Amino acid sequence: MNTPTRFSAEQIAEFRQNGFLLVEDVLSAEEVAAIGERGDQIANGQAEYVPESSVQLEPVFRHGERVVEDRALAVRKLYNLAVYDPVMWAHATNAKIVDIIAALLGSEDLKMYGDQFFMKAPETGTAQPWHQDSASWRDIFPMDLVTAWAAIDDATLDNGCLHFAPGTHRWGMMRGAQSAPFIADLDSGQWPSVSVPLKAGSISFHHSLTLHQSGANHSSLRRRGYAVHYMRASSWKDETVTDAPKMPPFKQVRGHSIPGRV
């Protein structure tokens, strides 16, 4: 395993400049297999402790346009898993990942905002348009969260790997008409974007304001990825924001909780 327990100043500077960073070979083959197997079990309804509300089908199955024959291949994503499942929680608290998060956020006091397991099956796996995570998580301040997106299968251009728009985390939060001109520039190639193929076991880290997207799965191969979202325990939740996602209680990942904060 060649992942450093402490990041260099150059790596931290790269993340702060671009808003994303790739770290290869973070997870062992055994860790990847355990997460992938548990994700499939949850998708197949074999983990009764995970509520059905944590499972979302792809639109063609959700709207009845196609019949579900293999549930694991019909699921678009699973979410809020680690608060229920010990295998997913072990991943969220894995020191190899949390050490990197602590370096990027500059704090040992960390909480998990939430998590999402993206299934992206062959042929039916849909694209995710350009977006900023904090445009949804707009009740959490500062808007300075970090996502660790772990590849469970090899993520390629054909099966829908992530793409990032470097530096866009420094533009602030944008919604609707505010972001539309920049998304048009990204779609037309006038603003640079970077594709980030990942080998299984590698992880990309991105800032919650970095514009990113993923393509549809046009291949015959699955593209599963498990994303865990982290924030400082000193973050503040604005209870007056009523149109943000309703999340389970935030779990402590490392360090101390801070009274009056998340």
Side-chain angles (χ1 to χ4, degrees), residues 170-259:
R170 292 179 272 114
W171 294 1
M173 192 265 281
M174 302 177 294
R175 297 180 68 194
Q178 298 168 335
S179 61
F182 306 106
I183 291 174
D185 287 347
L186 284 162
D187 288 338
S188 66
Q190 295 182 62
W191 187 267
S193 64
V194 177
S195 59
V196 182
L198 291 175
K199 296 184 298 181
S202 296
I203 299 179
S204 63
F205 296 83
H206 69 264
H207 190 281
S208 60
L209 286 172
T210 302
L211 280 165
H212 60 289
Q213 62 99 234
S214 66
N217 188 348
H218 298 295
S219 78
S220 60
L221 302 174
R222 305 177 77 185
R223 193 236 63 181
R224 293 169 297 170
Y226 186 35
V228 183
H229 318 299
Y230 299 88
M231 59 187 171
R232 299 180 190 86
S234 60
S235 300
W236 176 68
K237 185 174 186 289
D238 185 352
E239 299 289 352
T240 68
V241 177
T242 59
D243 58 347
K246 304 298 185 286
M247 303 300 293
F250 303 125
K251 293 189 71 172
Q252 194 80 34
V253 171
R254 176 177 289 183
H256 300 93
S257 183
I258 298 172

Coordinates of all heavy atoms in Angstrom, one line a residue, residues 170-259:
R170 N -14.0 27.4 -6.0 CA -13.7 28.8 -5.5 C -14.7 29.8 -6.1 O -14.5 31.0 -5.9 CB -12.2 29.2 -5.9 CG -11.2 28.4 -5.2 CD -9.8 28.7 -5.6 NE -9.3 27.9 -6.7 CZ -9.0 28.4 -7.9 NH1 -9.2 29.7 -8.2 NH2 -8.6 27.6 -8.9
W171 N -15.7 29.4 -6.8 CA -16.7 30.3 -7.3 C -17.9 30.5 -6.4 O -18.8 31.3 -6.7 CB -17.3 29.7 -8.6 CG -16.2 29.6 -9.7 CD1 -14.9 30.0 -9.7 CD2 -16.5 29.2 -11.1 NE1 -14.3 29.8 -10.9 CE2 -15.2 29.3 -11.8 CE3 -17.6 28.7 -11.7 CZ2 -15.1 28.9 -13.1 CZ3 -17.4 28.3 -13.1 CH2 -16.2 28.4 -13.7
G172 N -18.0 29.8 -5.3 CA -19.1 29.9 -4.4 C -20.3 29.0 -4.9 O -20.2 28.3 -5.9
M173 N -21.3 28.9 -4.1 CA -22.5 28.1 -4.4 C -23.3 28.7 -5.5 O -23.7 29.9 -5.4 CB -23.3 27.8 -3.2 CG -24.3 26.7 -3.3 SD -26.0 27.3 -3.8 CE -26.5 27.8 -2.1
M174 N -23.7 27.9 -6.5 CA -24.5 28.4 -7.6 C -25.7 27.5 -7.8 O -25.5 26.3 -7.8 CB -23.7 28.5 -8.9 CG -22.5 29.4 -8.8 SD -21.5 29.4 -10.3 CE -20.9 27.7 -10.4
R175 N -26.9 28.0 -8.1 CA -28.0 27.2 -8.3 C -28.8 27.7 -9.5 O -28.8 28.9 -9.8 CB -29.0 27.2 -7.1 CG -28.4 26.6 -5.8 CD -29.4 26.7 -4.7 NE -30.5 25.8 -5.0 CZ -31.7 25.9 -4.3 NH1 -31.9 26.8 -3.4 NH2 -32.7 25.0 -4.6
G176 N -29.4 26.8 -10.3 CA -30.3 27.1 -11.4 C -29.7 28.1 -12.4 O -28.6 27.8 -13.0
A177 N -30.3 29.3 -12.5 CA -29.8 30.2 -13.5 C -28.4 30.7 -13.2 O -27.7 31.1 -14.2 CB -30.8 31.4 -13.6
Q178 N -28.0 30.7 -12.0 CA -26.6 31.1 -11.6 C -25.6 30.2 -12.2 O -24.5 30.7 -12.7 CB -26.5 31.1 -10.1 CG -27.4 32.1 -9.4 CD -27.4 31.9 -7.9 OE1 -27.1 30.8 -7.4 NE2 -27.7 32.9 -7.1
S179 N -25.8 28.9 -12.3 CA -24.8 28.0 -12.8 C -25.0 27.7 -14.3 O -24.1 27.1 -14.9 CB -24.9 26.7 -12.0 OG -26.2 26.1 -12.1
A180 N -26.2 27.9 -14.8 CA -26.5 27.5 -16.2 C -25.4 28.0 -17.2 O -25.0 27.2 -18.1 CB -27.9 28.0 -16.6
P181 N -24.9 29.3 -17.2 CA -24.0 29.7 -18.2 C -22.7 28.9 -18.1 O -22.0 28.6 -19.1 CB -23.7 31.2 -17.9 CG -24.9 31.6 -17.1 CD -25.3 30.4 -16.3
F182 N -22.2 28.6 -16.9 CA -21.0 27.9 -16.7 C -21.1 26.4 -17.1 O -20.2 25.8 -17.7 CB -20.5 28.0 -15.3 CG -20.5 29.4 -14.8 CD1 -21.4 29.9 -13.9 CD2 -19.5 30.3 -15.2 CE1 -21.3 31.2 -13.5 CE2 -19.4 31.6 -14.8 CZ -20.3 32.1 -13.9
I183 N -22.3 25.8 -16.9 CA -22.5 24.5 -17.3 C -22.6 24.4 -18.8 O -22.0 23.5 -19.5 CB -23.8 23.9 -16.7 CG1 -23.6 23.7 -15.2 CG2 -24.2 22.6 -17.3 CD1 -24.8 23.3 -14.4
A184 N -23.1 25.4 -19.5 CA -23.1 25.5 -20.9 C -21.7 25.6 -21.5 O -21.4 24.9 -22.5 CB -24.0 26.7 -21.4
D185 N -20.9 26.4 -20.8 CA -19.5 26.4 -21.2 C -18.8 25.1 -21.0 O -17.9 24.7 -21.9 CB -18.7 27.5 -20.3 CG -19.1 28.9 -20.7 OD1 -19.8 29.1 -21.8 OD2 -18.8 29.8 -19.9
L186 N -19.1 24.4 -19.9 CA -18.5 23.1 -19.8 C -18.9 22.1 -20.8 O -18.1 21.4 -21.4 CB -18.8 22.5 -18.4 CG -18.1 23.1 -17.2 CD1 -18.8 22.8 -15.9 CD2 -16.6 22.6 -17.1
D187 N -20.2 22.1 -21.1 CA -20.7 21.2 -22.2 C -20.2 21.5 -23.5 O -20.0 20.6 -24.4 CB -22.3 21.3 -22.2 CG -22.9 20.6 -21.0 OD1 -22.2 19.8 -20.3 OD2 -24.1 21.0 -20.7
S188 N -19.9 22.7 -23.8 CA -19.3 23.1 -25.1 C -17.8 23.1 -25.2 O -17.2 23.3 -26.3 CB -19.8 24.5 -25.5 OG -19.2 25.5 -24.6
G189 N -17.2 22.8 -24.1 CA -15.7 22.7 -24.0 C -15.0 24.1 -23.9 O -13.8 24.1 -24.0
Q190 N -15.8 25.1 -23.6 CA -15.2 26.4 -23.4 C -14.5 26.6 -22.1 O -13.7 27.4 -21.9 CB -16.2 27.5 -23.6 CG -16.8 27.6 -25.0 CD -17.7 28.8 -25.2 OE1 -17.4 29.9 -25.0 NE2 -19.0 28.4 -25.5
W191 N -15.0 25.8 -21.1 CA -14.3 25.7 -19.8 C -13.7 24.4 -19.6 O -14.4 23.4 -19.9 CB -15.3 26.1 -18.7 CG -14.6 26.2 -17.3 CD1 -14.4 25.2 -16.4 CD2 -14.0 27.3 -16.8 NE1 -13.7 25.7 -15.3 CE2 -13.4 27.0 -15.6 CE3 -13.8 28.6 -17.3 CZ2 -12.7 27.9 -14.8 CZ3 -13.1 29.5 -16.5 CH2 -12.6 29.2 -15.3
P192 N -12.5 24.2 -19.1 CA -11.8 22.9 -19.1 C -12.5 22.0 -18.0 O -12.9 22.5 -17.0 CB -10.4 23.3 -18.7 CG -10.5 24.6 -18.0 CD -11.6 25.3 -18.6
S193 N -12.5 20.7 -18.4 CA -13.0 19.7 -17.4 C -12.0 18.5 -17.5 O -11.3 18.4 -18.6 CB -14.4 19.2 -17.7 OG -14.5 18.6 -18.9
V194 N -11.9 17.8 -16.5 CA -10.9 16.7 -16.4 C -11.7 15.4 -16.1 O -12.4 15.3 -15.1 CB -9.9 16.9 -15.3 CG1 -8.9 15.8 -15.2 CG2 -9.1 18.2 -15.6
S195 N -11.5 14.4 -16.9 CA -12.1 13.1 -16.6 C -11.1 12.3 -15.7 O -9.9 12.5 -15.8 CB -12.3 12.3 -17.9 OG -11.1 12.1 -18.6
V196 N -11.7 11.6 -14.7 CA -10.9 10.9 -13.7 C -11.3 9.4 -13.7 O -12.1 8.9 -12.8 CB -11.1 11.5 -12.3 CG1 -10.3 10.8 -11.3 CG2 -10.8 13.0 -12.4
P197 N -10.8 8.6 -14.6 CA -10.9 7.2 -14.5 C -10.2 6.7 -13.3 O -9.2 7.2 -12.9 CB -10.2 6.6 -15.8 CG -10.2 7.8 -16.7 CD -10.0 9.0 -15.8
L198 N -10.8 5.6 -12.7 CA -10.3 5.1 -11.4 C -10.2 3.6 -11.5 O -11.1 2.9 -12.0 CB -11.2 5.5 -10.2 CG -11.2 6.9 -9.8 CD1 -12.3 7.1 -8.7 CD2 -9.9 7.4 -9.3
K199 N -9.1 3.0 -11.0 CA -9.1 1.6 -10.8 C -9.8 1.3 -9.5 O -9.8 2.1 -8.6 CB -7.6 1.2 -10.7 CG -6.8 1.4 -11.9 CD -5.3 0.8 -11.7 CE -4.6 1.5 -10.6 NZ -3.3 1.0 -10.4
A200 N -10.4 0.1 -9.5 CA -11.0 -0.4 -8.2 C -10.0 -0.3 -7.1 O -8.9 -0.7 -7.2 CB -11.5 -1.8 -8.4
G201 N -10.5 0.3 -6.0 CA -9.6 0.5 -4.8 C -9.0 1.9 -4.7 O -8.5 2.3 -3.7
S202 N -9.0 2.6 -5.8 CA -8.6 4.0 -5.8 C -9.7 5.0 -5.4 O -10.9 4.6 -5.5 CB -8.0 4.4 -7.2 OG -6.9 3.6 -7.5
I203 N -9.3 6.1 -5.0 CA -10.3 7.1 -4.4 C -10.1 8.5 -5.0 O -8.9 8.9 -5.0 CB -10.3 7.1 -2.9 CG1 -10.7 5.8 -2.3 CG2 -11.3 8.2 -2.4 CD1 -10.7 5.7 -0.8
S204 N -11.1 9.1 -5.4 CA -11.0 10.6 -5.8 C -11.7 11.4 -4.6 O -12.7 11.0 -4.1 CB -11.7 10.9 -7.1 OG -13.1 10.7 -7.1
F205 N -11.0 12.5 -4.2 CA -11.5 13.3 -3.2 C -11.9 14.7 -3.8 O -11.2 15.2 -4.6 CB -10.4 13.6 -2.1 CG -10.0 12.3 -1.4 CD1 -9.1 11.5 -2.0 CD2 -10.6 12.0 -0.2 CE1 -8.7 10.3 -1.3 CE2 -10.2 10.9 0.5 CZ -9.3 10.0 -0.1
H206 N -13.1 15.1 -3.5 CA -13.5 16.4 -4.1 C -14.2 17.3 -3.1 O -14.9 16.8 -2.2 CB -14.3 16.2 -5.4 CG -15.7 15.7 -5.2 ND1 -16.0 14.3 -5.4 CD2 -16.9 16.3 -4.9 CE1 -17.3 14.1 -5.2 NE2 -17.9 15.3 -4.9
H207 N -14.1 18.6 -3.3 CA -14.7 19.6 -2.5 C -16.2 19.7 -2.8 O -16.6 19.5 -4.0 CB -14.0 21.0 -2.8 CG -14.3 22.1 -1.8 ND1 -15.5 22.8 -1.9 CD2 -13.7 22.6 -0.8 CE1 -15.5 23.7 -1.0 NE2 -14.5 23.6 -0.3
S208 N -17.0 20.1 -1.8 CA -18.4 20.1 -2.0 C -18.9 21.2 -2.9 O -20.1 21.2 -3.3 CB -19.1 20.2 -0.7 OG -18.8 21.4 0.0
L209 N -18.1 22.1 -3.3 CA -18.5 23.2 -4.3 C -17.9 22.9 -5.7 O -18.1 23.7 -6.6 CB -18.0 24.5 -3.8 CG -18.9 25.1 -2.6 CD1 -18.3 26.4 -2.1 CD2 -20.3 25.4 -3.1
T210 N -17.1 21.9 -5.9 CA -16.5 21.6 -7.2 C -17.6 21.1 -8.1 O -18.3 20.1 -7.8 CB -15.4 20.6 -7.1 OG1 -14.4 21.1 -6.1 CG2 -14.7 20.3 -8.4
L211 N -17.7 21.7 -9.3 CA -18.7 21.2 -10.3 C -18.1 19.8 -10.8 O -17.0 19.7 -11.2 CB -18.8 22.2 -11.4 CG -19.8 23.4 -11.2 CD1 -19.5 24.4 -12.2 CD2 -21.2 22.9 -11.2
H212 N -19.0 18.9 -10.8 CA -18.6 17.5 -11.3 C -19.8 16.8 -11.9 O -21.0 17.2 -11.7 CB -18.0 16.7 -10.2 CG -18.9 16.4 -9.0 ND1 -19.3 17.4 -8.1 CD2 -19.6 15.3 -8.6 CE1 -20.0 16.9 -7.2 NE2 -20.3 15.7 -7.5
Q213 N -19.6 15.8 -12.7 CA -20.6 15.0 -13.4 C -20.1 13.7 -13.7 O -18.9 13.4 -13.6 CB -21.2 15.7 -14.6 CG -20.2 15.9 -15.7 CD -20.3 14.9 -16.8 OE1 -19.3 14.2 -17.2 NE2 -21.5 14.7 -17.4
S214 N -21.0 12.8 -14.1 CA -20.6 11.5 -14.6 C -21.5 11.1 -15.8 O -22.6 11.5 -15.9 CB -20.7 10.4 -13.5 OG -22.1 10.2 -13.2
G215 N -20.9 10.3 -16.7 CA -21.6 10.0 -17.9 C -22.5 8.7 -17.7 O -22.4 8.1 -16.6
A216 N -23.3 8.4 -18.7 CA -24.1 7.1 -18.7 C -23.1 6.0 -18.9 O -22.0 6.1 -19.3 CB -25.1 7.2 -19.7
N217 N -23.6 4.8 -18.5 CA -22.8 3.6 -18.7 C -23.2 3.0 -20.0 O -24.3 2.4 -20.2 CB -23.1 2.6 -17.5 CG -22.2 1.4 -17.6 OD1 -21.5 1.2 -18.6 ND2 -22.2 0.6 -16.5
H218 N -22.3 3.1 -21.0 CA -22.5 2.6 -22.3 C -21.8 1.3 -22.5 O -21.8 0.8 -23.7 CB -22.0 3.6 -23.4 CG -22.8 4.9 -23.3 ND1 -24.1 5.0 -23.6 CD2 -22.3 6.2 -23.0 CE1 -24.5 6.3 -23.5 NE2 -23.4 7.0 -23.1
S219 N -21.3 0.7 -21.5 CA -20.5 -0.5 -21.6 C -21.3 -1.7 -21.1 O -22.4 -1.6 -20.7 CB -19.2 -0.4 -20.8 OG -19.5 -0.6 -19.4
S220 N -20.6 -2.9 -21.1 CA -21.2 -4.1 -20.6 C -20.8 -4.4 -19.2 O -21.0 -5.5 -18.6 CB -20.9 -5.3 -21.5 OG -19.4 -5.4 -21.5
L221 N -20.0 -3.4 -18.6 CA -19.5 -3.6 -17.2 C -20.1 -2.7 -16.2 O -20.5 -1.6 -16.5 CB -18.0 -3.3 -17.3 CG -17.1 -4.1 -18.3 CD1 -15.7 -3.6 -18.3 CD2 -17.2 -5.6 -17.9
R222 N -20.2 -3.1 -15.0 CA -20.8 -2.3 -13.9 C -19.8 -1.2 -13.5 O -18.6 -1.3 -13.8 CB -21.0 -3.2 -12.7 CG -21.9 -4.4 -12.9 CD -22.1 -5.2 -11.7 NE -23.0 -4.6 -10.8 CZ -23.3 -5.1 -9.5 NH1 -22.7 -6.2 -9.1 NH2 -24.2 -4.5 -8.8
R223 N -20.3 -0.1 -12.9 CA -19.5 0.9 -12.4 C -20.0 1.4 -11.1 O -20.8 2.3 -10.9 CB -19.5 2.1 -13.4 CG -18.4 3.1 -13.1 CD -18.8 4.6 -12.9 NE -19.7 4.7 -11.7 CZ -20.3 5.8 -11.3 NH1 -20.2 6.9 -12.0 NH2 -21.1 5.8 -10.3
R224 N -19.7 0.6 -10.0 CA -20.1 0.9 -8.7 C -19.1 1.8 -8.0 O -17.8 1.6 -8.2 CB -20.3 -0.4 -7.9 CG -21.5 -1.2 -8.4 CD -21.4 -2.6 -7.7 NE -20.2 -3.3 -8.0 CZ -19.8 -4.4 -7.4 NH1 -20.5 -5.0 -6.5 NH2 -18.7 -5.0 -7.8
G225 N -19.5 2.8 -7.2 CA -18.7 3.6 -6.5 C -19.3 4.0 -5.2 O -20.5 4.3 -5.1
Y226 N -18.6 4.0 -4.1 CA -19.1 4.4 -2.8 C -18.5 5.7 -2.3 O -17.3 5.8 -2.1 CB -18.8 3.3 -1.8 CG -19.4 3.4 -0.4 CD1 -20.7 4.0 -0.3 CD2 -18.8 3.0 0.7 CE1 -21.3 4.1 0.9 CE2 -19.4 3.2 2.0 CZ -20.6 3.7 2.1 OH -21.2 3.9 3.3
A227 N -19.4 6.7 -2.2 CA -19.0 8.0 -1.8 C -19.4 8.3 -0.4 O -20.6 8.2 0.0 CB -19.7 9.0 -2.7
V228 N -18.5 8.7 0.4 CA -18.7 9.2 1.8 C -18.4 10.6 1.9 O -17.3 11.1 1.5 CB -17.9 8.3 2.8 CG1 -18.3 8.7 4.3 CG2 -18.2 6.8 2.6
H229 N -19.3 11.4 2.5 CA -19.2 12.8 2.6 C -18.8 13.3 4.0 O -19.5 12.9 5.0 CB -20.5 13.5 2.2 CG -21.1 12.9 1.0 ND1 -20.5 12.9 -0.2 CD2 -22.3 12.3 0.8 CE1 -21.3 12.2 -1.1 NE2 -22.4 11.9 -0.5
Y230 N -17.7 14.0 4.2 CA -17.2 14.4 5.5 C -17.2 15.9 5.7 O -17.1 16.6 4.8 CB -15.7 13.9 5.6 CG -15.5 12.4 5.5 CD1 -15.3 11.8 4.2 CD2 -15.5 11.6 6.6 CE1 -15.1 10.4 4.1 CE2 -15.3 10.2 6.5 CZ -15.1 9.6 5.2 OH -14.9 8.3 5.1
M231 N -17.3 16.3 7.0 CA -17.3 17.7 7.3 C -16.6 17.8 8.7 O -16.5 16.8 9.5 CB -18.7 18.3 7.4 CG -19.6 17.6 8.4 SD -21.3 18.2 8.3 CE -22.2 17.1 9.3
R232 N -16.1 19.0 9.0 CA -15.6 19.3 10.3 C -16.7 19.2 11.4 O -17.8 19.6 11.1 CB -14.9 20.6 10.4 CG -13.8 20.8 9.4 CD -13.2 22.2 9.5 NE -12.3 22.5 8.5 CZ -12.6 23.0 7.3 NH1 -13.9 23.2 7.0 NH2 -11.7 23.2 6.3
A233 N -16.4 18.7 12.5 CA -17.3 18.7 13.6 C -17.7 20.1 14.1 O -18.7 20.3 14.7 CB -16.8 17.9 14.8
S234 N -16.9 21.1 13.7 CA -17.2 22.5 14.0 C -18.2 23.1 13.0 O -18.6 24.3 13.2 CB -15.9 23.3 14.0 OG -15.3 23.2 12.8
S235 N -18.6 22.4 12.0 CA -19.6 22.9 11.0 C -20.9 23.2 11.7 O -21.2 22.7 12.8 CB -19.8 21.9 9.9 OG -18.7 21.6 9.2
W236 N -21.7 24.1 11.1 CA -22.9 24.6 11.7 C -24.1 24.3 10.7 O -23.9 24.4 9.5 CB -22.8 26.1 11.9 CG -24.1 26.7 12.4 CD1 -24.7 26.5 13.7 CD2 -24.9 27.7 11.7 NE1 -25.8 27.3 13.8 CE2 -26.0 28.0 12.6 CE3 -24.9 28.3 10.5 CZ2 -27.0 28.9 12.2 CZ3 -25.8 29.1 10.1 CH2 -26.9 29.5 11.0
K237 N -25.2 23.8 11.3 CA -26.4 23.5 10.5 C -27.4 24.6 10.7 O -27.8 24.9 11.8 CB -27.0 22.2 10.9 CG -28.1 21.7 10.0 CD -28.6 20.3 10.4 CE -29.6 19.8 9.5 NZ -30.9 20.4 9.7
D238 N -27.8 25.3 9.6 CA -28.8 26.3 9.6 C -30.2 25.7 9.6 O -30.6 25.3 8.5 CB -28.6 27.3 8.4 CG -29.5 28.5 8.4 OD1 -30.4 28.5 9.3 OD2 -29.3 29.4 7.6
E239 N -30.8 25.7 10.7 CA -32.1 25.1 10.8 C -33.2 25.8 10.1 O -34.3 25.3 9.9 CB -32.5 24.9 12.3 CG -31.6 24.0 13.1 CD -31.6 22.6 12.7 OE1 -32.5 22.2 11.9 OE2 -30.7 21.8 13.2
T240 N -33.0 27.1 9.6 CA -34.0 27.8 8.9 C -34.0 27.4 7.4 O -35.0 27.8 6.7 CB -33.7 29.3 9.0 OG1 -32.5 29.7 8.3 CG2 -33.5 29.8 10.4
V241 N -33.0 26.7 7.0 CA -33.1 26.2 5.6 C -33.9 24.9 5.6 O -33.6 23.9 6.2 CB -31.7 25.8 5.1 CG1 -31.7 25.3 3.7 CG2 -30.8 27.1 5.1
T242 N -35.1 25.0 4.9 CA -36.0 23.9 5.0 C -36.1 23.0 3.7 O -36.7 22.0 3.7 CB -37.5 24.4 5.2 OG1 -37.8 25.3 4.1 CG2 -37.5 25.2 6.5
D243 N -35.3 23.4 2.7 CA -35.4 22.6 1.4 C -34.1 21.8 1.2 O -33.8 21.4 0.0 CB -35.7 23.5 0.2 CG -34.7 24.6 0.0 OD1 -33.9 24.9 0.9 OD2 -34.7 25.2 -1.1
A244 N -33.3 21.6 2.2 CA -32.1 20.7 2.1 C -32.5 19.3 2.5 O -33.5 19.1 3.1 CB -31.0 21.2 3.0
P245 N -31.7 18.3 2.1 CA -32.0 16.9 2.4 C -32.2 16.7 3.9 O -31.5 17.3 4.7 CB -30.8 16.1 1.9 CG -30.2 17.0 0.8 CD -30.4 18.4 1.3
K246 N -33.1 15.9 4.3 CA -33.3 15.5 5.7 C -32.4 14.3 6.0 O -32.7 13.2 5.5 CB -34.8 15.2 5.9 CG -35.8 16.3 5.6 CD -35.5 17.5 6.4 CE -36.6 18.6 6.1 NZ -36.4 19.3 4.7
M247 N -31.4 14.6 6.8 CA -30.4 13.6 7.0 C -30.5 12.9 8.4 O -31.0 13.5 9.3 CB -29.0 14.2 6.9 CG -28.7 14.9 5.6 SD -28.8 13.8 4.2 CE -27.4 12.7 4.5
P248 N -30.0 11.6 8.5 CA -30.0 11.0 9.9 C -29.0 11.8 10.8 O -28.2 12.7 10.3 CB -29.4 9.6 9.6 CG -29.6 9.4 8.2 CD -29.5 10.7 7.5
P249 N -29.0 11.6 12.1 CA -28.1 12.3 12.9 C -26.6 12.1 12.5 O -26.3 11.0 12.1 CB -28.3 11.7 14.3 CG -29.7 11.2 14.3 CD -30.0 10.8 12.8
F250 N -25.8 13.1 12.5 CA -24.5 13.0 11.9 C -23.6 12.3 12.9 O -23.5 12.6 14.1 CB -23.9 14.4 11.7 CG -24.7 15.3 10.8 CD1 -25.2 16.5 11.2 CD2 -25.1 14.8 9.5 CE1 -25.9 17.3 10.4 CE2 -25.8 15.6 8.7 CZ -26.3 16.9 9.1
K251 N -22.9 11.2 12.4 CA -22.1 10.4 13.3 C -20.6 10.9 13.3 O -20.0 11.3 12.3 CB -22.1 8.9 12.8 CG -23.4 8.3 12.9 CD -23.4 6.8 12.6 CE -22.6 6.0 13.6 NZ -22.7 4.5 13.4
Q252 N -20.0 10.8 14.5 CA -18.7 11.2 14.7 C -17.7 10.2 14.1 O -17.8 9.0 14.3 CB -18.4 11.3 16.2 CG -17.1 12.0 16.6 CD -17.2 13.5 16.6 OE1 -18.3 14.0 16.9 NE2 -16.2 14.2 16.2
V253 N -16.8 10.6 13.3 CA -15.9 9.8 12.6 C -14.5 9.7 13.3 O -13.9 8.7 13.4 CB -15.7 10.3 11.1 CG1 -14.5 9.5 10.4 CG2 -16.9 10.1 10.3
R254 N -14.1 10.9 13.8 CA -12.8 11.0 14.5 C -12.9 12.2 15.4 O -13.6 13.2 15.1 CB -11.7 11.1 13.5 CG -10.3 11.3 14.2 CD -9.2 11.3 13.2 NE -9.0 10.0 12.6 CZ -8.0 9.7 11.7 NH1 -7.2 10.7 11.3 NH2 -7.8 8.5 11.2
G255 N -12.1 12.2 16.5 CA -12.0 13.4 17.3 C -13.2 13.6 18.2 O -13.8 12.7 18.7
H256 N -13.4 14.9 18.4 CA -14.4 15.3 19.4 C -15.6 16.0 18.7 O -15.5 16.6 17.7 CB -13.8 16.3 20.4 CG -12.7 15.8 21.2 ND1 -11.3 15.9 20.8 CD2 -12.6 15.0 22.3 CE1 -10.6 15.3 21.6 NE2 -11.3 14.7 22.6
S257 N -16.8 15.9 19.4 CA -18.0 16.6 19.0 C -17.9 18.0 19.7 O -17.2 18.2 20.7 CB -19.2 15.9 19.5 OG -20.4 16.6 19.1
I258 N -18.5 19.0 19.1 CA -18.4 20.4 19.6 C -19.9 20.8 19.9 O -20.7 20.8 19.0 CB -17.8 21.3 18.5 CG1 -16.3 20.8 18.3 CG2 -17.8 22.8 19.0 CD1 -15.7 21.5 17.1
P259 N -20.1 21.2 21.1 CA -21.5 21.6 21.5 C -22.0 22.7 20.7 O -21.3 23.7 20.4 CB -21.3 22.1 23.0 CG -20.1 21.3 23.5 CD -19.2 21.2 22.3

